[in-house]
Amino acid sequence: MINFERYPHIHDLINHYTNSLNRKDIAKILQTGLKNAKDAELLSRFIWQMLDRMSEDANKKITVIGQTDNSNMIPDLEYEITLHIDEKGFRSVWDRVSDEENP
């Protein structure tokens, strides 16, 4: 299981978008943890998809976990995801995907 220890609210945010975007593959990764580079890539791409949806939701004034704008959580999200992926040895995957998704 992936635990977000420093910023536990990130778990709620990710769970919301995992469900909202119907990403059963991400739900499984959250339960079982990262096992390989493919999982790291799926999670990394999902995070960028999630950020896009967060922006759309904020623009539409959709309330997500009690707020209409969760952009203040982006630094916490980046910290937790980067830390976890790095600890599992897949930092290069996260960096590559981030460069591709946010050139």
Side-chain angles (χ1 to χ4, degrees):
M1 173 180 258
I2 297 177
N3 292 315
F4 303 107
E5 294 179 19
R6 184 168 184 185
Y7 301 111
H9 57 277
I10 293 304
H11 187 271
D12 295 334
L13 186 66
I14 291 175
N15 276 340
H16 169 81
Y17 284 103
T18 298
N19 294 327
S20 173
L21 295 166
N22 196 30
R23 293 295 303 267
K24 292 180 173 120
D25 55 340
I26 300 303
K28 183 178 179 184
I29 290 169
L30 292 173
Q31 285 298 317
T32 62
L34 292 175
K35 297 195 181 306
N36 53 47
K38 180 182 174 190
D39 287 352
E41 180 147 354
L42 283 170
L43 181 61
S44 298
R45 292 203 185 278
F46 167 75
I47 294 301
W48 286 100
Q49 178 187 24
M50 184 179 120
L51 290 169
D52 288 342
R53 182 57 67 92
M54 284 173 64
S55 177
E56 290 171 20
D57 288 349
N59 290 335
K60 293 176 183 175
K61 305 288 188 220
I62 295 172
T63 300
V64 175
I65 62 171
Q67 301 182 127
T68 55
D69 181 2
N70 287 297
S71 60
N72 62 319
M73 292 188 201
I74 293 172
D76 301 349
L77 174 67
E78 181 181 10
Y79 172 86
E80 290 286 6
I81 292 299
T82 303
L83 178 66
H84 183 75
I85 290 176
D86 188 39
E87 285 176 347
K88 295 298 180 179
F90 300 111
R91 175 69 183 261
S92 63
V93 173
W94 170 246
D95 290 343
R96 177 180 51 78
V97 169
S98 294
D99 288 345
E100 291 171 5
E101 296 289 335
N102 189 30

XYZ file of all heavy atoms in Angstrom:
854
model
N 0.838 -1.177 0.000
C 0.000 0.000 0.000
C 0.887 1.245 0.000
O 1.899 1.291 0.678
C -0.910 -0.006 1.224
C -1.697 1.277 1.387
S -2.746 1.264 2.828
C -4.279 0.931 2.018
N 0.461 2.227 -0.757
C 1.190 3.488 -0.776
C 0.640 4.370 0.343
O -0.559 4.654 0.391
C 1.053 4.187 -2.140
C 1.687 3.328 -3.236
C 1.698 5.566 -2.090
C 1.547 3.897 -4.638
N 1.521 4.782 1.237
C 1.152 5.663 2.338
C 1.759 7.035 2.110
O 2.928 7.148 1.738
C 1.653 5.108 3.672
C 0.927 3.850 4.064
O -0.284 3.775 3.969
N 1.670 2.854 4.502
N 0.976 8.050 2.358
C 1.450 9.416 2.258
C 1.556 9.939 3.685
O 0.567 10.370 4.272
C 0.501 10.242 1.394
C 0.327 9.663 0.021
C -0.842 9.038 -0.353
C 1.369 9.720 -0.893
C -0.998 8.491 -1.610
C 1.227 9.173 -2.163
C 0.048 8.556 -2.522
N 2.753 9.854 4.225
C 2.934 10.106 5.652
C 3.034 11.575 6.019
O 2.460 12.007 7.010
C 4.153 9.338 6.144
C 3.923 7.837 6.061
C 5.117 7.028 6.513
O 5.990 7.575 7.212
O 5.158 5.836 6.167
N 3.769 12.346 5.243
C 3.936 13.752 5.608
C 2.662 14.555 5.337
O 2.304 15.440 6.103
C 5.109 14.354 4.845
C 5.394 15.784 5.256
C 6.700 16.259 4.713
N 6.991 17.601 5.199
C 8.021 18.302 4.816
N 8.886 17.792 3.959
N 8.221 19.504 5.288
N 2.005 14.240 4.208
C 0.783 14.948 3.815
C -0.333 13.935 3.568
O -0.655 13.617 2.423
C 1.031 15.785 2.558
C 2.123 16.809 2.721
C 3.334 16.679 2.058
C 1.940 17.916 3.552
C 4.333 17.619 2.200
C 2.947 18.862 3.702
C 4.136 18.712 3.024
O 5.126 19.647 3.169
N -0.949 13.424 4.632
C -1.958 12.372 4.471
C -3.186 12.801 3.666
O -3.874 11.957 3.096
C -2.329 11.995 5.904
C -1.801 13.072 6.765
C -0.699 13.752 6.036
N -3.456 14.108 3.577
C -4.604 14.568 2.787
C -4.440 14.245 1.304
O -5.424 14.179 0.570
C -4.833 16.075 2.984
C -3.653 16.914 2.634
N -2.619 17.127 3.520
C -3.337 17.578 1.501
C -1.715 17.908 2.939
N -2.119 18.184 1.718
N -3.221 13.990 0.880
C -2.976 13.633 -0.521
C -3.642 12.301 -0.855
O -4.124 12.102 -1.969
C -1.456 13.613 -0.812
C -0.900 15.030 -0.697
C -1.152 13.012 -2.171
C -1.568 16.068 -1.577
N -3.712 11.415 0.114
C -4.404 10.139 -0.103
C -5.861 10.377 -0.503
O -6.367 9.765 -1.455
C -4.319 9.285 1.166
C -4.851 7.916 0.989
N -6.165 7.613 1.191
C -4.248 6.770 0.602
C -6.360 6.334 0.944
N -5.215 5.793 0.578
N -6.550 11.279 0.191
C -7.946 11.589 -0.120
C -8.077 12.198 -1.516
O -8.993 11.857 -2.272
C -8.537 12.550 0.909
C -8.614 11.945 2.298
O -8.685 10.699 2.413
O -8.593 12.726 3.273
N -7.167 13.094 -1.855
C -7.193 13.744 -3.161
C -6.983 12.723 -4.282
O -7.742 12.686 -5.254
C -6.119 14.832 -3.219
C -6.103 15.712 -4.457
C -7.366 16.566 -4.525
C -4.859 16.592 -4.456
N -5.988 11.876 -4.138
C -5.717 10.863 -5.158
C -6.866 9.869 -5.251
O -7.270 9.491 -6.360
C -4.375 10.154 -4.903
C -3.225 11.131 -5.150
C -4.224 8.924 -5.788
C -1.857 10.582 -4.811
N -7.403 9.457 -4.122
C -8.545 8.530 -4.149
C -9.743 9.139 -4.867
O -10.427 8.451 -5.631
C -8.942 8.098 -2.744
C -8.113 6.942 -2.253
O -7.503 6.215 -3.023
N -8.084 6.765 -0.949
N -9.987 10.406 -4.622
C -11.102 11.059 -5.306
C -10.932 10.969 -6.821
O -11.861 10.576 -7.536
C -11.232 12.532 -4.891
C -12.192 13.263 -5.764
N -13.555 13.199 -5.572
C -11.996 14.022 -6.876
C -14.151 13.899 -6.527
N -13.225 14.413 -7.321
N -9.750 11.334 -7.307
C -9.545 11.345 -8.757
C -9.387 9.942 -9.335
O -9.763 9.705 -10.484
C -8.390 12.270 -9.134
C -8.836 13.705 -9.054
C -8.468 14.511 -7.986
C -9.686 14.236 -10.009
C -8.922 15.814 -7.888
C -10.146 15.537 -9.920
C -9.754 16.322 -8.858
O -10.231 17.609 -8.764
N -8.902 9.014 -8.549
C -8.867 7.620 -9.008
C -10.288 7.150 -9.292
O -10.549 6.541 -10.336
C -8.203 6.725 -7.944
O -6.856 7.147 -7.763
C -8.199 5.271 -8.377
N -11.199 7.464 -8.388
C -12.602 7.074 -8.560
C -13.278 7.896 -9.649
O -13.981 7.351 -10.503
C -13.367 7.203 -7.247
C -12.881 6.215 -6.215
O -12.465 5.109 -6.536
N -12.910 6.609 -4.953
N -13.059 9.204 -9.625
C -13.689 10.097 -10.590
C -13.294 9.762 -12.029
O -14.121 9.833 -12.937
C -13.290 11.541 -10.265
O -13.742 12.423 -11.252
N -12.049 9.394 -12.211
C -11.541 9.066 -13.549
C -11.651 7.571 -13.857
O -11.179 7.127 -14.897
C -10.092 9.540 -13.677
C -9.909 11.061 -13.608
C -8.443 11.421 -13.396
C -10.467 11.730 -14.859
N -12.260 6.829 -12.931
C -12.463 5.384 -13.094
C -11.157 4.653 -13.429
O -11.087 3.865 -14.373
C -13.529 5.106 -14.164
C -14.040 3.686 -14.090
O -14.074 3.084 -13.016
N -14.437 3.141 -15.221
N -10.142 4.902 -12.636
C -8.823 4.325 -12.872
C -8.588 3.160 -11.908
O -7.939 3.295 -10.877
C -7.738 5.401 -12.712
C -7.771 6.500 -13.761
C -7.467 6.003 -15.164
N -6.203 5.336 -15.261
C -5.049 5.930 -15.601
N -5.034 7.199 -15.905
N -3.938 5.221 -15.640
N -9.125 2.024 -12.267
C -8.951 0.823 -11.452
C -7.492 0.389 -11.406
O -7.042 -0.178 -10.410
C -9.840 -0.297 -11.977
C -11.300 0.000 -11.764
C -12.186 -1.101 -12.268
C -13.607 -0.789 -11.864
N -14.521 -0.651 -12.927
N -6.748 0.679 -12.476
C -5.325 0.345 -12.488
C -4.581 1.134 -11.412
O -3.721 0.593 -10.718
C -4.709 0.578 -13.863
C -4.905 1.997 -14.407
O -5.822 2.722 -13.938
O -4.163 2.378 -15.327
N -4.955 2.372 -11.223
C -4.304 3.206 -10.201
C -4.749 2.768 -8.810
O -3.934 2.714 -7.882
C -4.595 4.697 -10.448
C -4.067 5.134 -11.823
C -4.008 5.556 -9.329
C -2.578 4.894 -12.054
N -6.017 2.424 -8.663
C -6.499 1.924 -7.365
C -5.701 0.691 -6.957
O -5.319 0.542 -5.789
C -7.992 1.603 -7.439
N -5.414 -0.175 -7.907
C -4.633 -1.376 -7.611
C -3.209 -1.017 -7.194
O -2.678 -1.575 -6.224
C -4.606 -2.301 -8.831
C -3.880 -3.591 -8.566
C -3.910 -4.517 -9.759
C -3.138 -5.788 -9.423
N -3.056 -6.688 -10.566
N -2.597 -0.089 -7.901
C -1.239 0.338 -7.545
C -1.234 0.947 -6.147
O -0.315 0.696 -5.355
C -0.674 1.323 -8.587
C -0.392 0.586 -9.911
C 0.592 2.017 -8.077
C -0.075 1.494 -11.086
N -2.247 1.739 -5.823
C -2.320 2.342 -4.488
C -2.432 1.271 -3.409
O -1.903 1.429 -2.310
C -3.497 3.312 -4.394
C -3.386 4.575 -5.235
C -4.689 5.353 -5.181
C -2.216 5.438 -4.798
N -3.107 0.167 -3.716
C -3.266 -0.924 -2.757
C -2.021 -1.790 -2.646
O -1.635 -2.197 -1.556
C -4.459 -1.803 -3.148
C -5.786 -1.174 -2.843
C -5.980 -0.921 -1.355
O -5.661 -1.750 -0.521
N -6.499 0.240 -1.024
N -1.402 -2.096 -3.773
C -0.291 -3.053 -3.770
C 1.084 -2.398 -3.791
O 2.074 -3.053 -3.506
C -0.394 -4.012 -4.973
O -0.295 -3.261 -6.192
C -1.699 -4.782 -4.945
N 1.144 -1.122 -4.145
C 2.421 -0.425 -4.245
C 3.031 -0.578 -5.634
O 2.560 -1.356 -6.455
N 4.078 0.177 -5.876
C 4.785 0.110 -7.153
C 5.619 -1.161 -7.200
O 6.423 -1.411 -6.309
C 5.709 1.315 -7.329
C 5.056 2.673 -7.509
C 6.118 3.759 -7.538
C 4.211 2.717 -8.755
N 5.437 -1.929 -8.248
C 6.184 -3.176 -8.382
C 7.225 -3.131 -9.491
O 8.174 -3.897 -9.480
C 5.217 -4.328 -8.640
C 4.261 -4.556 -7.480
C 3.575 -5.876 -7.596
C 2.596 -6.138 -6.490
N 3.051 -6.041 -5.168
N 7.026 -2.224 -10.466
C 7.931 -2.174 -11.603
C 7.837 -0.809 -12.290
O 7.042 0.043 -11.894
C 7.618 -3.318 -12.585
C 6.151 -3.344 -12.977
O 5.567 -2.324 -13.313
N 5.534 -4.525 -12.928
N 8.635 -0.650 -13.342
C 8.676 0.620 -14.067
C 7.343 0.919 -14.755
O 6.950 2.085 -14.880
C 9.815 0.614 -15.074
N 6.636 -0.130 -15.174
C 5.327 0.084 -15.807
C 4.354 0.715 -14.813
O 3.632 1.658 -15.159
C 4.766 -1.235 -16.326
C 3.415 -1.084 -16.988
C 2.852 -2.416 -17.443
C 1.440 -2.230 -17.973
N 0.755 -3.487 -18.205
N 4.326 0.214 -13.584
C 3.486 0.811 -12.541
C 3.874 2.262 -12.296
O 3.011 3.129 -12.136
C 3.611 0.039 -11.226
C 2.921 -1.311 -11.225
O 2.194 -1.632 -12.180
O 3.136 -2.054 -10.241
N 5.179 2.522 -12.253
C 5.662 3.885 -12.019
C 5.214 4.808 -13.146
O 4.810 5.955 -12.896
C 7.178 3.899 -11.877
N 5.250 4.315 -14.370
C 4.812 5.137 -15.498
C 3.310 5.376 -15.443
O 2.848 6.497 -15.670
C 5.198 4.503 -16.833
C 4.739 5.347 -17.994
C 5.639 5.304 -19.199
O 6.729 4.708 -19.149
O 5.232 5.902 -20.211
N 2.527 4.342 -15.143
C 1.075 4.509 -15.026
C 0.727 5.546 -13.956
O -0.097 6.434 -14.176
C 0.413 3.175 -14.685
C 0.245 2.181 -15.816
C -0.207 0.821 -15.273
C -0.755 2.685 -16.843
N 1.361 5.423 -12.792
C 1.100 6.363 -11.709
C 1.530 7.772 -12.094
O 0.800 8.738 -11.860
C 1.792 5.917 -10.418
C 1.572 6.813 -9.206
C 0.094 6.900 -8.840
C 2.391 6.306 -8.017
N 2.685 7.894 -12.708
C 3.190 9.213 -13.112
C 2.251 9.882 -14.107
O 1.902 11.060 -13.955
C 4.585 9.075 -13.723
O 5.498 8.569 -12.785
N 1.822 9.150 -15.112
C 0.908 9.723 -16.112
C -0.448 10.053 -15.490
O -1.067 11.071 -15.832
C 0.766 8.797 -17.301
C 2.055 8.711 -18.098
C 1.884 8.297 -19.518
N 3.194 8.133 -20.133
C 3.942 9.120 -20.637
N 3.501 10.357 -20.597
N 5.113 8.865 -21.172
N -0.893 9.208 -14.558
C -2.144 9.493 -13.863
C -2.045 10.812 -13.090
O -3.001 11.602 -13.091
C -2.514 8.355 -12.902
C -3.599 8.746 -11.949
C -4.913 8.831 -12.370
C -3.307 9.053 -10.629
C -5.924 9.224 -11.498
C -4.300 9.435 -9.749
C -5.620 9.523 -10.184
N -0.939 11.045 -12.429
C -0.789 12.278 -11.651
C -0.966 13.491 -12.559
O -1.645 14.463 -12.204
C 0.563 12.313 -10.903
C 0.620 11.216 -9.837
C 0.814 13.701 -10.290
C -0.459 11.290 -8.766
N -0.391 13.440 -13.746
C -0.551 14.562 -14.676
C -1.984 14.663 -15.183
O -2.515 15.773 -15.338
C 0.464 14.458 -15.810
C 1.819 14.832 -15.302
C 2.823 13.993 -14.941
C 2.286 16.150 -15.030
N 3.892 14.719 -14.454
C 3.593 16.035 -14.500
C 1.731 17.417 -15.171
C 4.340 17.153 -14.140
C 2.485 18.528 -14.810
C 3.774 18.377 -14.292
N -2.636 13.528 -15.411
C -4.045 13.527 -15.796
C -4.880 14.135 -14.663
O -5.792 14.934 -14.899
C -4.508 12.095 -16.093
C -5.972 11.996 -16.454
C -6.458 10.552 -16.570
O -5.894 9.633 -15.991
N -7.527 10.374 -17.322
N -4.546 13.758 -13.454
C -5.235 14.263 -12.274
C -5.075 15.785 -12.155
O -6.037 16.501 -11.862
C -4.664 13.565 -11.041
C -5.335 13.901 -9.752
S -4.567 12.967 -8.409
C -4.024 14.334 -7.402
N -3.881 16.283 -12.392
C -3.644 17.725 -12.319
C -4.487 18.472 -13.348
O -5.032 19.546 -13.055
C -2.156 18.037 -12.511
C -1.258 17.620 -11.354
C 0.213 17.714 -11.753
C -1.538 18.461 -10.119
N -4.602 17.901 -14.547
C -5.461 18.522 -15.565
C -6.911 18.558 -15.086
O -7.595 19.572 -15.241
C -5.369 17.762 -16.891
C -4.051 17.968 -17.610
O -3.330 18.934 -17.295
O -3.738 17.136 -18.497
N -7.387 17.453 -14.525
C -8.767 17.393 -14.043
C -8.970 18.335 -12.864
O -10.019 18.956 -12.732
C -9.139 15.962 -13.661
C -10.571 15.791 -13.203
C -11.634 16.240 -14.215
N -11.645 15.413 -15.389
C -12.403 14.334 -15.541
N -13.214 13.960 -14.585
N -12.338 13.647 -16.666
N -7.976 18.451 -11.995
C -8.078 19.388 -10.872
C -8.292 20.810 -11.392
O -9.111 21.555 -10.854
C -6.816 19.335 -10.006
C -6.725 18.135 -9.104
S -5.127 18.017 -8.240
C -5.153 19.502 -7.225
N -7.566 21.169 -12.436
C -7.709 22.500 -13.028
C -9.100 22.684 -13.623
O -9.747 23.723 -13.406
C -6.637 22.696 -14.100
O -6.794 23.934 -14.738
N -9.578 21.674 -14.341
C -10.924 21.736 -14.913
C -11.972 21.877 -13.810
O -12.899 22.691 -13.931
C -11.218 20.469 -15.726
C -10.428 20.354 -17.001
C -10.600 18.988 -17.656
O -11.580 18.272 -17.352
O -9.737 18.635 -18.482
N -11.831 21.087 -12.758
C -12.785 21.144 -11.653
C -12.778 22.514 -10.989
O -13.836 23.052 -10.649
C -12.490 20.050 -10.622
C -12.854 18.661 -11.118
O -13.518 18.530 -12.167
O -12.456 17.680 -10.442
N -11.598 23.083 -10.808
C -11.509 24.418 -10.195
C -12.185 25.458 -11.089
O -12.929 26.315 -10.596
C -10.050 24.790 -9.942
N -11.953 25.373 -12.392
C -12.574 26.326 -13.317
C -14.089 26.193 -13.340
O -14.802 27.178 -13.542
C -12.014 26.144 -14.731
C -10.572 26.592 -14.847
O -10.102 27.423 -14.073
N -9.858 26.041 -15.800
N -14.599 24.991 -13.119
C -16.043 24.738 -13.103
C -16.638 24.910 -11.704
O -17.828 24.681 -11.509
C -16.332 23.319 -13.599
C -16.002 23.116 -15.057
C -16.223 21.663 -15.455
C -15.833 21.413 -16.893
N -15.943 19.978 -17.253
N -15.792 25.274 -10.739
C -16.220 25.465 -9.342
C -16.811 24.189 -8.736
O -17.758 24.224 -7.950
C -17.230 26.610 -9.216
C -16.766 27.914 -9.787
C -15.700 28.541 -8.951
C -15.412 29.952 -9.460
N -14.023 30.287 -9.462
N -16.229 23.042 -9.104
C -16.660 21.757 -8.562
C -15.939 21.525 -7.240
O -14.709 21.630 -7.160
C -16.352 20.612 -9.554
C -17.190 20.796 -10.825
C -16.613 19.251 -8.918
C -16.824 19.844 -11.952
N -16.695 21.197 -6.204
C -16.112 20.958 -4.889
C -15.518 19.556 -4.835
O -16.186 18.572 -5.145
C -17.175 21.115 -3.788
O -17.692 22.445 -3.848
C -16.584 20.851 -2.410
N -14.255 19.498 -4.476
C -13.526 18.237 -4.339
C -12.890 18.244 -2.960
O -12.141 19.160 -2.625
C -12.458 18.070 -5.437
C -11.628 16.825 -5.206
C -13.106 18.041 -6.812
N -13.179 17.250 -2.181
C -12.762 17.107 -0.781
C -12.841 18.439 -0.013
O -11.920 18.835 0.675
C -11.405 16.392 -0.615
C -10.240 17.132 -1.256
C -11.470 14.977 -1.149
C -8.870 16.551 -0.903
N -13.978 19.091 -0.194
C -14.284 20.279 0.597
C -13.831 21.612 0.029
O -14.072 22.640 0.650
N -13.198 21.627 -1.133
C -12.720 22.877 -1.722
C -13.029 22.900 -3.214
O -13.058 21.860 -3.853
C -11.197 23.020 -1.551
C -10.714 22.994 -0.129
C -9.210 23.199 -0.038
O -8.771 24.065 0.673
N -8.425 22.422 -0.755
N -13.205 24.109 -3.748
C -13.397 24.220 -5.191
C -12.072 24.414 -5.922
O -12.013 24.251 -7.131
C -14.336 25.383 -5.556
O -13.826 26.582 -4.981
C -15.744 25.110 -5.071
N -11.029 24.740 -5.187
C -9.701 24.905 -5.784
C -8.682 24.213 -4.874
O -8.427 24.674 -3.766
C -9.355 26.384 -5.941
C -7.994 26.622 -6.575
O -7.307 25.642 -6.952
O -7.604 27.798 -6.703
N -8.143 23.115 -5.348
C -7.155 22.359 -4.575
C -5.726 22.575 -5.050
O -4.836 21.796 -4.721
C -7.505 20.865 -4.627
C -8.716 20.555 -3.789
O -8.701 20.725 -2.578
N -9.781 20.116 -4.425
N -5.504 23.656 -5.785
C -4.158 23.907 -6.305
C -3.135 24.103 -5.189
O -1.945 23.859 -5.391
C -4.142 25.099 -7.265
O -4.574 26.271 -6.609
N -3.596 24.483 -4.002
C -2.678 24.634 -2.873
C -2.070 23.296 -2.446
O -1.067 23.263 -1.744
C -3.384 25.291 -1.691
C -4.544 24.457 -1.164
O -5.302 23.883 -1.942
N -4.708 24.409 0.140
N -2.668 22.184 -2.896
C -2.149 20.858 -2.545
C -1.113 20.336 -3.543
O -0.496 19.296 -3.291
C -3.296 19.851 -2.464
C -4.230 20.095 -1.318
S -5.381 18.721 -1.197
C -6.692 19.477 -0.294
N -0.913 21.037 -4.636
C 0.014 20.542 -5.667
C 1.429 20.352 -5.127
O 2.041 19.313 -5.396
C -0.033 21.429 -6.921
C -1.408 21.272 -7.592
C 1.089 21.072 -7.893
C -1.664 22.230 -8.734
N 1.994 21.280 -4.350
C 3.336 21.024 -3.810
C 3.392 19.786 -2.906
O 4.365 19.030 -2.948
C 3.664 22.298 -3.023
C 2.802 23.344 -3.634
C 1.536 22.639 -4.051
N 2.341 19.572 -2.106
C 2.284 18.386 -1.247
C 2.208 17.119 -2.090
O 2.871 16.122 -1.793
C 1.075 18.441 -0.316
C 1.059 19.662 0.588
O 2.080 20.368 0.658
O 0.013 19.905 1.220
N 1.405 17.167 -3.138
C 1.267 16.032 -4.058
C 2.605 15.721 -4.716
O 3.035 14.564 -4.744
C 0.208 16.344 -5.119
C 0.029 15.328 -6.235
C -0.527 14.026 -5.684
C -0.891 15.905 -7.311
N 3.266 16.748 -5.219
C 4.560 16.538 -5.866
C 5.573 15.945 -4.885
O 6.312 15.013 -5.225
C 5.105 17.842 -6.444
C 6.428 17.644 -7.145
C 7.009 18.929 -7.706
O 6.500 20.029 -7.407
O 8.003 18.819 -8.439
N 5.596 16.452 -3.671
C 6.515 15.931 -2.660
C 6.262 14.444 -2.414
O 7.197 13.634 -2.457
C 6.368 16.721 -1.349
C 7.151 16.107 -0.218
C 8.493 16.424 -0.047
C 6.556 15.197 0.652
C 9.222 15.839 0.983
C 7.287 14.608 1.673
C 8.609 14.933 1.833
O 9.336 14.342 2.844
N 5.011 14.086 -2.134
C 4.683 12.698 -1.787
C 4.941 11.741 -2.945
O 5.506 10.664 -2.748
C 3.227 12.584 -1.326
C 2.947 13.223 0.011
C 3.482 12.439 1.204
O 4.188 11.422 1.037
O 3.183 12.849 2.337
N 4.528 12.112 -4.147
C 4.716 11.225 -5.300
C 6.191 11.089 -5.634
O 6.691 9.974 -5.850
C 3.919 11.733 -6.516
C 2.414 11.601 -6.251
C 4.313 10.995 -7.788
C 1.928 10.170 -6.018
N 6.908 12.189 -5.667
C 8.338 12.132 -5.963
C 9.068 11.285 -4.933
O 9.883 10.426 -5.288
C 8.942 13.554 -6.028
O 8.242 14.309 -7.010
C 10.417 13.504 -6.385
N 8.765 11.489 -3.666
C 9.407 10.722 -2.602
C 9.134 9.232 -2.764
O 10.063 8.413 -2.726
C 8.919 11.200 -1.231
C 9.482 10.455 -0.023
C 10.978 10.710 0.109
C 8.747 10.877 1.241
N 7.884 8.882 -2.971
C 7.532 7.458 -3.077
C 8.178 6.811 -4.302
O 8.773 5.728 -4.198
C 6.020 7.275 -3.115
C 5.634 5.843 -3.143
N 5.707 5.039 -2.024
C 5.233 5.039 -4.148
C 5.359 3.808 -2.351
N 5.058 3.784 -3.639
N 8.066 7.448 -5.435
C 8.635 6.871 -6.661
C 10.151 6.769 -6.540
O 10.746 5.766 -6.947
C 8.196 7.682 -7.894
C 6.696 7.448 -8.140
C 9.006 7.295 -9.127
C 6.103 8.262 -9.273
N 10.773 7.766 -5.953
C 12.224 7.742 -5.767
C 12.635 6.613 -4.819
O 13.592 5.879 -5.092
C 12.699 9.088 -5.222
C 14.209 9.211 -5.186
O 14.883 8.745 -6.125
O 14.726 9.789 -4.202
N 11.900 6.447 -3.720
C 12.221 5.375 -2.768
C 12.117 3.990 -3.403
O 12.816 3.066 -3.005
C 11.288 5.444 -1.554
C 11.626 6.566 -0.606
C 10.642 6.682 0.545
O 9.542 6.062 0.502
O 10.952 7.424 1.503
N 11.244 3.843 -4.395
C 11.074 2.557 -5.078
C 12.062 2.374 -6.226
O 12.083 1.324 -6.866
C 9.637 2.414 -5.597
C 8.611 2.357 -4.492
C 8.839 1.141 -3.615
C 7.821 1.052 -2.503
N 7.991 -0.097 -1.655
N 12.873 3.394 -6.487
C 13.914 3.279 -7.505
C 13.493 3.663 -8.913
O 14.180 3.315 -9.879
N 12.372 4.401 -9.034
C 11.867 4.743 -10.359
C 11.822 6.247 -10.603
O 11.008 6.732 -11.392
C 10.471 4.144 -10.564
C 10.440 2.650 -10.451
C 9.797 2.036 -9.378
C 11.061 1.856 -11.388
C 9.765 0.660 -9.254
C 11.038 0.474 -11.278
C 10.393 -0.130 -10.215
N 12.714 6.982 -9.982
C 12.734 8.444 -10.132
C 12.922 8.861 -11.584
O 12.319 9.835 -12.056
C 13.840 9.033 -9.258
C 14.068 10.523 -9.385
C 12.887 11.316 -8.816
N 13.061 12.729 -8.983
C 13.494 13.546 -8.028
N 13.789 13.080 -6.845
N 13.596 14.825 -8.260
N 13.721 8.108 -12.328
C 13.953 8.473 -13.730
C 12.661 8.374 -14.540
O 12.451 9.155 -15.480
C 15.046 7.599 -14.351
O 14.647 6.239 -14.362
N 11.777 7.459 -14.184
C 10.485 7.340 -14.877
C 9.647 8.581 -14.595
O 9.088 9.193 -15.509
C 9.734 6.057 -14.438
C 8.337 6.018 -15.025
C 10.518 4.816 -14.826
N 9.562 8.956 -13.330
C 8.801 10.155 -12.941
C 9.350 11.399 -13.635
O 8.587 12.201 -14.179
C 8.838 10.315 -11.428
C 8.312 11.613 -10.900
C 9.023 12.576 -10.260
C 6.961 12.090 -10.945
N 8.204 13.619 -9.901
C 6.937 13.348 -10.317
C 5.788 11.575 -11.474
C 5.766 14.101 -10.192
C 4.622 12.332 -11.346
C 4.625 13.578 -10.713
N 10.665 11.554 -13.653
C 11.277 12.719 -14.292
C 10.992 12.743 -15.791
O 10.648 13.789 -16.348
C 12.786 12.736 -14.041
C 13.140 13.045 -12.592
O 12.279 13.561 -11.838
O 14.293 12.755 -12.203
N 11.108 11.586 -16.453
C 10.860 11.512 -17.897
C 9.407 11.843 -18.215
O 9.119 12.666 -19.095
C 11.214 10.124 -18.435
C 10.897 9.952 -19.931
C 11.250 8.568 -20.448
N 10.709 7.472 -19.664
C 9.436 7.040 -19.727
N 8.566 7.631 -20.524
N 9.042 6.008 -18.992
N 8.480 11.221 -17.497
C 7.065 11.474 -17.738
C 6.730 12.935 -17.461
O 6.004 13.582 -18.233
C 6.185 10.527 -16.894
C 4.711 10.962 -16.934
C 6.329 9.095 -17.382
N 7.277 13.492 -16.410
C 7.017 14.899 -16.084
C 7.534 15.813 -17.191
O 6.857 16.780 -17.555
C 7.667 15.264 -14.746
O 7.038 14.544 -13.697
N 8.695 15.502 -17.737
C 9.227 16.296 -18.855
C 8.335 16.185 -20.084
O 8.132 17.163 -20.808
C 10.651 15.858 -19.194
C 11.675 16.280 -18.151
O 11.357 17.150 -17.302
O 12.794 15.725 -18.182
N 7.812 14.986 -20.338
C 6.936 14.786 -21.499
C 5.584 15.465 -21.316
O 5.043 16.038 -22.267
C 6.701 13.288 -21.725
C 7.924 12.547 -22.192
C 7.753 11.029 -22.206
O 6.638 10.526 -21.946
O 8.747 10.348 -22.471
N 5.041 15.415 -20.117
C 3.711 15.948 -19.858
C 3.707 17.456 -19.620
O 2.694 18.113 -19.807
C 3.080 15.251 -18.652
C 2.824 13.771 -18.844
C 1.701 13.469 -19.815
O 0.803 14.324 -20.001
O 1.707 12.368 -20.391
N 4.836 17.981 -19.215
C 4.942 19.405 -18.885
C 6.240 19.971 -19.478
O 7.161 20.305 -18.741
C 4.898 19.580 -17.366
C 4.781 21.017 -16.965
O 4.211 21.833 -17.663
N 5.338 21.336 -15.807
N 6.291 20.034 -20.823
C 7.563 20.461 -21.476
C 7.921 21.908 -21.214
O 7.165 22.718 -20.870
C 7.296 20.208 -22.949
C 5.840 20.055 -23.121
C 5.260 19.742 -21.771
